[in-house]
Every structure is written in C-alpha cells, then in structure tokens.
C-alpha cells in the first residue's frame, strides 16, 4: 500500500483526507511547523514545506486553510487559527451582526516530493445566523456551503467532502499524483 506522510495535528483534517485516499496508508506527523505571518495561505505552506523538507522524509502533504468573510475584507483569512482560538464562532457571529454573510473557505495543500506542488481549493458559501451541528471542527458549525442548507457541522465527512475547499484541493492533488 502506498504510504504518505500527512503533517497535521488536526484529526478532522485527517478524517477528511483519509476518506479521499482509501488506498493510501497515511502516516500522521503532528509535530507541526512554523506558521509564518503572511498575506496568503500559499506563503505559509511554502515556508512550512521548506522547513519540513529539512526534517522529515518526503513525500509529505500539508494543509493550510482559512475562512475569508467578504464583508470583513477577507478577515479572518490567514489569521483564522488565532481568531478561532480567541473569539471563536460566537465572536465571528457578533462581528457579522447587520453585515452581509458571504464567505469563502480556502485550502492550500502542499505536496513535497523533492519539490513543492501547490493545490488550491475554494468553497463559496455563507455564515449561518447561529451555530448548528456537532460534526467536523473549527468553523464548521457556522459555514453553509453554496448548494446546501446545512452547515458543514451537520454533514458526515462524505457529505462535507462533496462541497468542501479541502476536497477540491485534494481532487486536484489526486489527479496530478
Ligand atoms: P489551519 O491553519 O489550516 O489549521 O486552520 C485555521 C483555522 O481554520 C483553524 O482554527 C481550523 O480549525 C479552521 N479550519 C480549517 N479548516 C477548516 C474546515 O474545513 N472547517 C472548519 N474550520 C476549519
């Protein structure tokens, strides 16, 4: 069976990615990497991949994602992880009171096999009026993808993978692999 190292400490990401790679044995590396302050997810992934390439055996895959809310000028975007840890979903809902709720979730995957290959996936949608659902992780209870009435947190992994930013990026990666 083909082996691939997935660099993440996030079990939710592992489940979603493993569901799309049923014939691959994923080895999880949860040691992390420095997430630099940058304007774009691609820069975070490039720096992370370069740093990891000196420390772990290729091939490996890493995922950096963010939630970009239009009426907040793309915030929290590259600051998503900090914002989730500090104000969380409730804080995001407060910031959006009286504002338009369109948002895009993005994932940038970096696949390193001696050189770096970048795959980007995006999912347009909107921020729910209140949190709903118990599955998934992070901003899933407040994100409703276009084409569905459910939040990601009301979906199984398989359903989320029909819509999500991560699954779009994964499809591009799988096609090129
Ligand atoms: P990370 O830097 O890629 O780990 O993600 C930044 C923040 O966005 C973290 O707080 C994650 O929990 C959150 N996040 C990343 N991907 C998703 C997702 O697919 N659904 C909901 N939240 C996510």
């Amino acid at each position: 069976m083909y082996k691939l190292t997935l660099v993440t400490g996030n079990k939710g990401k592992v489940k979603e990615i493993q569901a799309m790679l049923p014939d691959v044995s994923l080895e999880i590396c949860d040691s992390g990497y420095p997430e630099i302050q940058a304007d774009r997810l691609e820069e975070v992934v490039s720096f992370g991949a370069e740093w990891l390439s000196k420390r772990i055996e290729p091939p490996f895959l890493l995922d950096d994602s963010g939630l970009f809310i239009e009426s907040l000028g793309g915030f929290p975007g590259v600051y998503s992880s900090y914002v989730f840890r500090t104000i969380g979903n409730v804080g995001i809902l407060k910031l959006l009171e009286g504002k338009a709720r369109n948002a895009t979730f993005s994932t940038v995957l970096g696949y390193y096999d001696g050189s770096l290959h970048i795959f980007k996936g995006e999912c347009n949608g909107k921020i729910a009026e209140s949190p709903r659902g118990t599955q998934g992780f992070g901003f899933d209870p407040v994100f409703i993808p276009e084409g569905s009435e459910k939040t990601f947190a009301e979906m199984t992994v398989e359903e989320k993978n029909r819509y999500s930013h991560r699954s779009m990026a994964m499809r591009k990666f799988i096609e090129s692999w």
Side-chain angles (χ1 to χ4, degrees):
M1 196 184 245
Y2 198 83
K3 279 192 184 157
L4 173 63
T5 301
L6 173 62
V7 186
T8 184
N10 183 321
K11 293 202 174 72
K13 288 186 184 178
V14 174
K15 272 195 212 157
E16 291 170 25
I17 290 172
Q18 183 70 78
M20 295 191 71
L21 295 171
D23 300 326
V24 174
S25 163
L26 284 183
E27 287 189 19
I28 309 306
C29 168
D30 64 1
S31 60
Y33 52 90
E35 291 201 17
I36 54 157
Q37 206 60 70
D39 291 340
R40 298 167 63 240
L41 297 174
E42 284 87 343
E43 296 171 58
V44 180
V45 166
S46 300
F47 184 89
E50 174 72 16
W51 188 89
L52 286 163
S53 70
K54 298 185 182 103
R55 290 162 178 89
I56 63 174
E57 267 311 292
F60 59 80
L61 190 65
L62 63 162
D63 163 322
D64 197 48
S65 301
L67 176 64
F68 297 76
I69 302 176
E70 223 175 277
S71 60
L72 302 181
F75 185 81
V78 289
Y79 308 107
S80 292
S81 146
Y82 176 74
V83 168
F84 184 74
R85 276 200 316 274
T86 52
I87 64 170
N89 286 328
V90 171
I92 289 284
L93 292 176
K94 278 223 177 79
L95 286 178
L96 276 186
E97 277 169 16
K99 294 206 169 74
R101 312 186 83 81
N102 299 347
T104 300
F105 236 130
S106 298
T107 288
V108 170
L109 287 175
Y111 175 65
Y112 186 88
D113 60 359
S115 59
L116 178 63
H117 311 266
I118 295 258
F119 305 92
K120 185 164 191 175
E122 291 191 316
C123 175
N124 294 326
K126 60 177 191 243
I127 304 299
E129 295 291 336
S130 55
R132 297 197 319 253
T134 54
Q135 305 184 73
F137 63 95
F139 300 106
D140 280 348
V142 297
F143 188 82
I144 304 171
E146 231 167 62
S148 177
E149 297 292 307
K150 294 183 185 177
T151 66
F152 274 156
E154 294 176 304
M155 298 182 180
T156 60
V157 166
E158 288 69 27
E159 273 179 288
K160 182 177 171 186
N161 276 347
R162 259 179 251 144
Y163 298 94
S164 85
H165 44 305
R166 180 162 300 103
S167 73
M168 300 298 163
M170 279 299 295
R171 263 175 225 128
K172 291 184 189 168
F173 162 60
I174 291 165
E175 270 167 30
S176 82
W177 205 21

mmCIF file of all heavy atoms in Angstrom, residues 10 13 16 35 63-65 80-81 84 105 137-140 160 165-166, ligand 1:
data_model
loop_
_atom_site.group_PDB
_atom_site.id
_atom_site.type_symbol
_atom_site.label_atom_id
_atom_site.label_comp_id
_atom_site.label_asym_id
_atom_site.label_seq_id
_atom_site.Cartn_x
_atom_site.Cartn_y
_atom_site.Cartn_z
ATOM 1 N N ASN A 10 -4.495 18.011 13.335
ATOM 2 C CA ASN A 10 -5.947 18.162 13.324
ATOM 3 C C ASN A 10 -6.627 16.858 12.863
ATOM 4 O O ASN A 10 -6.547 16.488 11.686
ATOM 5 C CB ASN A 10 -6.287 19.324 12.381
ATOM 6 C CG ASN A 10 -7.755 19.629 12.330
ATOM 7 O OD1 ASN A 10 -8.580 18.731 12.341
ATOM 8 N ND2 ASN A 10 -8.086 20.901 12.239
ATOM 9 N N LYS A 13 -9.058 17.084 9.874
ATOM 10 C CA LYS A 13 -8.421 17.095 8.549
ATOM 11 C C LYS A 13 -8.015 15.684 8.151
ATOM 12 O O LYS A 13 -8.169 15.278 7.002
ATOM 13 C CB LYS A 13 -7.175 17.988 8.560
ATOM 14 C CG LYS A 13 -7.463 19.471 8.635
ATOM 15 C CD LYS A 13 -6.159 20.266 8.483
ATOM 16 C CE LYS A 13 -6.390 21.753 8.659
ATOM 17 N NZ LYS A 13 -5.127 22.528 8.562
ATOM 18 N N GLU A 16 -11.017 13.687 6.838
ATOM 19 C CA GLU A 16 -11.476 14.128 5.520
ATOM 20 C C GLU A 16 -10.506 13.694 4.422
ATOM 21 O O GLU A 16 -10.920 13.253 3.348
ATOM 22 C CB GLU A 16 -11.641 15.655 5.499
ATOM 23 C CG GLU A 16 -12.804 16.103 6.365
ATOM 24 C CD GLU A 16 -12.869 17.618 6.566
ATOM 25 O OE1 GLU A 16 -12.359 18.370 5.713
ATOM 26 O OE2 GLU A 16 -13.446 18.042 7.590
ATOM 27 N N GLU A 35 4.205 28.560 11.435
ATOM 28 C CA GLU A 35 3.252 29.208 10.520
ATOM 29 C C GLU A 35 3.595 30.682 10.470
ATOM 30 O O GLU A 35 3.280 31.435 11.383
ATOM 31 C CB GLU A 35 1.813 28.981 10.981
ATOM 32 C CG GLU A 35 1.399 27.528 10.822
ATOM 33 C CD GLU A 35 -0.113 27.321 10.774
ATOM 34 O OE1 GLU A 35 -0.861 28.284 10.539
ATOM 35 O OE2 GLU A 35 -0.523 26.171 10.984
ATOM 36 N N ASP A 63 -1.508 20.994 4.882
ATOM 37 C CA ASP A 63 -2.766 21.690 4.551
ATOM 38 C C ASP A 63 -2.849 22.952 5.380
ATOM 39 O O ASP A 63 -2.780 22.915 6.598
ATOM 40 C CB ASP A 63 -3.910 20.713 4.904
ATOM 41 C CG ASP A 63 -5.303 21.350 5.024
ATOM 42 O OD1 ASP A 63 -5.437 22.489 5.531
ATOM 43 O OD2 ASP A 63 -6.261 20.672 4.641
ATOM 44 N N ASP A 64 -2.978 24.095 4.711
ATOM 45 C CA ASP A 64 -3.259 25.319 5.467
ATOM 46 C C ASP A 64 -4.550 25.907 4.925
ATOM 47 O O ASP A 64 -4.715 26.058 3.712
ATOM 48 C CB ASP A 64 -2.111 26.324 5.350
ATOM 49 C CG ASP A 64 -2.217 27.375 6.443
ATOM 50 O OD1 ASP A 64 -2.405 26.994 7.612
ATOM 51 O OD2 ASP A 64 -2.139 28.576 6.140
ATOM 52 N N SER A 65 -5.470 26.192 5.829
ATOM 53 C CA SER A 65 -6.803 26.626 5.410
ATOM 54 C C SER A 65 -7.197 27.908 6.105
ATOM 55 O O SER A 65 -6.642 28.278 7.142
ATOM 56 C CB SER A 65 -7.829 25.534 5.753
ATOM 57 O OG SER A 65 -7.484 24.336 5.109
ATOM 58 N N SER A 80 -7.062 32.838 10.687
ATOM 59 C CA SER A 80 -8.193 32.004 11.116
ATOM 60 C C SER A 80 -7.914 31.213 12.382
ATOM 61 O O SER A 80 -8.776 31.101 13.258
ATOM 62 C CB SER A 80 -8.592 31.038 9.988
ATOM 63 O OG SER A 80 -9.142 31.771 8.928
ATOM 64 N N SER A 81 -6.722 30.675 12.479
ATOM 65 C CA SER A 81 -6.450 29.802 13.610
ATOM 66 C C SER A 81 -6.428 30.630 14.914
ATOM 67 O O SER A 81 -7.040 30.246 15.924
ATOM 68 C CB SER A 81 -5.153 29.070 13.301
ATOM 69 O OG SER A 81 -4.432 28.838 14.393
ATOM 70 N N PHE A 84 -10.014 31.728 15.688
ATOM 71 C CA PHE A 84 -10.827 30.627 16.225
ATOM 72 C C PHE A 84 -10.502 30.384 17.697
ATOM 73 O O PHE A 84 -11.390 30.200 18.525
ATOM 74 C CB PHE A 84 -10.639 29.343 15.410
ATOM 75 C CG PHE A 84 -11.549 28.258 15.893
ATOM 76 C CD1 PHE A 84 -12.901 28.302 15.622
ATOM 77 C CD2 PHE A 84 -11.068 27.226 16.692
ATOM 78 C CE1 PHE A 84 -13.767 27.343 16.123
ATOM 79 C CE2 PHE A 84 -11.918 26.263 17.191
ATOM 80 C CZ PHE A 84 -13.270 26.313 16.903
ATOM 81 N N PHE A 105 -14.280 29.557 2.017
ATOM 82 C CA PHE A 105 -13.309 28.741 2.739
ATOM 83 C C PHE A 105 -12.244 28.316 1.735
ATOM 84 O O PHE A 105 -12.585 27.890 0.630
ATOM 85 C CB PHE A 105 -13.992 27.477 3.286
ATOM 86 C CG PHE A 105 -13.831 27.315 4.767
ATOM 87 C CD1 PHE A 105 -14.933 27.064 5.568
ATOM 88 C CD2 PHE A 105 -12.582 27.393 5.346
ATOM 89 C CE1 PHE A 105 -14.791 26.925 6.936
ATOM 90 C CE2 PHE A 105 -12.426 27.249 6.720
ATOM 91 C CZ PHE A 105 -13.533 27.015 7.506
ATOM 92 N N PHE A 137 -15.187 20.274 12.700
ATOM 93 C CA PHE A 137 -14.312 21.013 13.622
ATOM 94 C C PHE A 137 -14.293 22.490 13.244
ATOM 95 O O PHE A 137 -14.876 22.890 12.223
ATOM 96 C CB PHE A 137 -12.890 20.427 13.587
ATOM 97 C CG PHE A 137 -12.227 20.551 12.235
ATOM 98 C CD1 PHE A 137 -11.384 21.611 11.941
ATOM 99 C CD2 PHE A 137 -12.466 19.610 11.250
ATOM 100 C CE1 PHE A 137 -10.783 21.736 10.691
ATOM 101 C CE2 PHE A 137 -11.881 19.723 9.988
ATOM 102 C CZ PHE A 137 -11.041 20.786 9.714
ATOM 103 N N GLY A 138 -13.617 23.272 14.048
ATOM 104 C CA GLY A 138 -13.372 24.677 13.736
ATOM 105 C C GLY A 138 -14.637 25.456 13.406
ATOM 106 O O GLY A 138 -15.617 25.455 14.182
ATOM 107 N N PHE A 139 -14.625 26.113 12.258
ATOM 108 C CA PHE A 139 -15.738 26.966 11.853
ATOM 109 C C PHE A 139 -16.891 26.170 11.214
ATOM 110 O O PHE A 139 -17.847 26.769 10.721
ATOM 111 C CB PHE A 139 -15.248 28.032 10.861
ATOM 112 C CG PHE A 139 -14.180 28.943 11.412
ATOM 113 C CD1 PHE A 139 -12.851 28.820 11.015
ATOM 114 C CD2 PHE A 139 -14.498 29.925 12.340
ATOM 115 C CE1 PHE A 139 -11.863 29.659 11.512
ATOM 116 C CE2 PHE A 139 -13.520 30.776 12.855
ATOM 117 C CZ PHE A 139 -12.203 30.639 12.439
ATOM 118 N N ASP A 140 -16.810 24.848 11.212
ATOM 119 C CA ASP A 140 -17.852 24.043 10.552
ATOM 120 C C ASP A 140 -19.281 24.376 11.007
ATOM 121 O O ASP A 140 -20.186 24.409 10.179
ATOM 122 C CB ASP A 140 -17.582 22.540 10.740
ATOM 123 C CG ASP A 140 -16.528 22.024 9.763
ATOM 124 O OD1 ASP A 140 -16.181 22.756 8.815
ATOM 125 O OD2 ASP A 140 -16.056 20.887 9.956
ATOM 126 N N LYS A 160 -19.509 16.431 3.586
ATOM 127 C CA LYS A 160 -18.647 17.628 3.584
ATOM 128 C C LYS A 160 -17.679 17.561 2.400
ATOM 129 O O LYS A 160 -17.413 18.555 1.741
ATOM 130 C CB LYS A 160 -17.900 17.753 4.925
ATOM 131 C CG LYS A 160 -17.030 19.003 5.000
ATOM 132 C CD LYS A 160 -16.328 19.204 6.336
ATOM 133 C CE LYS A 160 -15.328 20.350 6.243
ATOM 134 N NZ LYS A 160 -14.507 20.539 7.441
ATOM 135 N N HIS A 165 -13.765 23.025 0.391
ATOM 136 C CA HIS A 165 -12.486 23.586 -0.043
ATOM 137 C C HIS A 165 -11.384 22.521 -0.031
ATOM 138 O O HIS A 165 -10.651 22.351 -0.974
ATOM 139 C CB HIS A 165 -12.145 24.755 0.897
ATOM 140 C CG HIS A 165 -12.380 24.451 2.357
ATOM 141 N ND1 HIS A 165 -13.596 24.019 2.819
ATOM 142 C CD2 HIS A 165 -11.545 24.448 3.426
ATOM 143 C CE1 HIS A 165 -13.505 23.782 4.120
ATOM 144 N NE2 HIS A 165 -12.261 24.036 4.510
ATOM 145 N N ARG A 166 -11.304 21.763 1.093
ATOM 146 C CA ARG A 166 -10.244 20.757 1.228
ATOM 147 C C ARG A 166 -10.406 19.662 0.173
ATOM 148 O O ARG A 166 -9.438 19.217 -0.436
ATOM 149 C CB ARG A 166 -10.288 20.155 2.636
ATOM 150 C CG ARG A 166 -9.236 19.089 2.923
ATOM 151 C CD ARG A 166 -9.053 18.872 4.409
ATOM 152 N NE ARG A 166 -8.621 20.096 5.063
ATOM 153 C CZ ARG A 166 -9.442 20.877 5.799
ATOM 154 N NH1 ARG A 166 -10.700 20.534 6.037
ATOM 155 N NH2 ARG A 166 -8.985 22.006 6.315
HETATM 156 P P1 LIG B 1 -5.296 25.738 9.805
HETATM 157 O O1 LIG B 1 -4.289 26.844 9.980
HETATM 158 O O2 LIG B 1 -5.322 25.188 8.426
HETATM 159 O O3 LIG B 1 -5.174 24.636 10.799
HETATM 160 O O4 LIG B 1 -6.731 26.333 10.033
HETATM 161 C C1 LIG B 1 -7.012 27.628 10.511
HETATM 162 C C2 LIG B 1 -8.280 27.610 11.324
HETATM 163 O O5 LIG B 1 -9.369 27.307 10.482
HETATM 164 C C3 LIG B 1 -8.285 26.594 12.450
HETATM 165 O O6 LIG B 1 -8.903 27.177 13.572
HETATM 166 C C4 LIG B 1 -9.127 25.462 11.917
HETATM 167 O O7 LIG B 1 -9.863 24.840 12.953
HETATM 168 C C5 LIG B 1 -10.056 26.187 10.964
HETATM 169 N N1 LIG B 1 -10.361 25.306 9.829
HETATM 170 C C6 LIG B 1 -9.505 24.822 8.906
HETATM 171 N N2 LIG B 1 -10.153 24.030 8.044
HETATM 172 C C7 LIG B 1 -11.444 24.012 8.422
HETATM 173 C C8 LIG B 1 -12.599 23.357 7.936
HETATM 174 O O8 LIG B 1 -12.582 22.584 6.972
HETATM 175 N N3 LIG B 1 -13.741 23.594 8.615
HETATM 176 C C9 LIG B 1 -13.805 24.427 9.700
HETATM 177 N N4 LIG B 1 -12.758 25.045 10.206
HETATM 178 C C10 LIG B 1 -11.581 24.846 9.570
#
